[in-house]
Amino acid sequence: MFLFFAVIAGALVLAVVVGGDVRRLSQIRVKHLELLIGAFGLKLVVALLGTAHSELAVNIARPLNIVGAVLLLAVVWFNRRIPGALLFGAGLVLNLAAIVSFGGRMPVVLPSGMDPSSARLAALRNGLDPLHVLLPQPYGPWFIGDIFSIPSLVGRSSLVSIGDILMASGIVWLIVQCSRRVPSTSHAVDRPAVVLKRSAK
C-alpha cells in the first residue's frame, strides 16, 4: 500500500515539474464507478478480517481477494482508453494470476536480508495474513509474487511484485499524461480557404 501512495505523490510532483496542471485530473471520468467502489469495499472487508487473526477469517478473505481483483480488472477494461489503464491492467492480471495460483492469497518470498522472525511478520509467519501466504521455498509461479524489496519512509522494507510495479507505472502514466496542458488555440490564425473554380465549357 505504501508503494501506491508514494507513487501517486511522486507522479503528482513529476507532473508539475514537466509543466502539467494536476487540476486537469478532475476531468477524468471513470465508467462503472460502482464496480470500483465494490472492489475497494471488499479490500476494506479483508483488512478488517485481518484484525481477527484466525483461520476462519483467512478462509473468508481468500475468495474475497479474488472477487475484488476481478471487479477492479473489470473497471480497467471498461476504462481501457484512459492513459495508463492497460499497463495497470497488465500488472493486475499478473497479481490476479498469482493470487489464484496460491489459493486466494499473494505469495511472498522473503529476501535474504529480511528477518523472518520479525514481530511485524508474525501473522504472515503463522499463516494468518488474509492477503499473503509465506512460501518457505520458491515453487509454482512464485516469481509473480511479492519478491522485490523496496525501502519505505519509516525505515522498513516493503515487498512488491512485478505486477505491483506495472500497476504503479500505469498510475504514473495516467497522472502525468492527463495533467498535461492542452495547447492553446486562441492565437491560431484562420486562413481563408482558396476555392478553385473550373471555367465552364
Side-chain angles (χ1 to χ4, degrees), residues 11-21 175-177 179-181:
L12 290 173
V13 173
L14 178 61
V16 173
V17 169
V18 299
D21 185 354
I175 292 176
V176 174
Q177 189 72 12
S179 63
R180 290 172 57 189
R181 291 189 177 94

Side-chain angles (χ1 to χ4, degrees), residues 76-157:
V76 172
W77 174 254
F78 287 123
N79 295 275
R80 59 190 180 276
R81 296 187 183 278
I82 294 178
L86 293 181
L87 186 58
F88 183 94
L92 182 57
V93 167
L94 288 177
N95 281 355
L96 179 57
I99 292 172
V100 171
S101 298
F102 288 90
R105 291 186 293 177
M106 193 69 172
V108 174
V109 177
L110 296 180
S112 57
M114 185 171 289
D115 182 11
S117 62
S118 172
R120 67 189 182 92
L121 297 178
L124 179 63
R125 188 173 58 251
N126 296 329
L128 299 179
D129 188 327
L131 292 171
H132 306 91
V133 56
L134 179 63
L135 302 183
Q137 59 184 9
Y139 70 91
W142 62 272
F143 48 88
I144 55 175
D146 287 346
I147 60 174
F148 300 105
S149 178
I150 60 171
S152 66
L153 295 177
V154 294
R156 296 177 177 177
S157 297

Side-chain angles (χ1 to χ4, degrees), residues 39 64-74 92 96 99:
L64 296 183
N65 288 329
I66 296 175
V67 174
V70 170
L71 289 178
L72 188 56
L73 188 59
L92 182 57
L96 179 57
I99 292 172

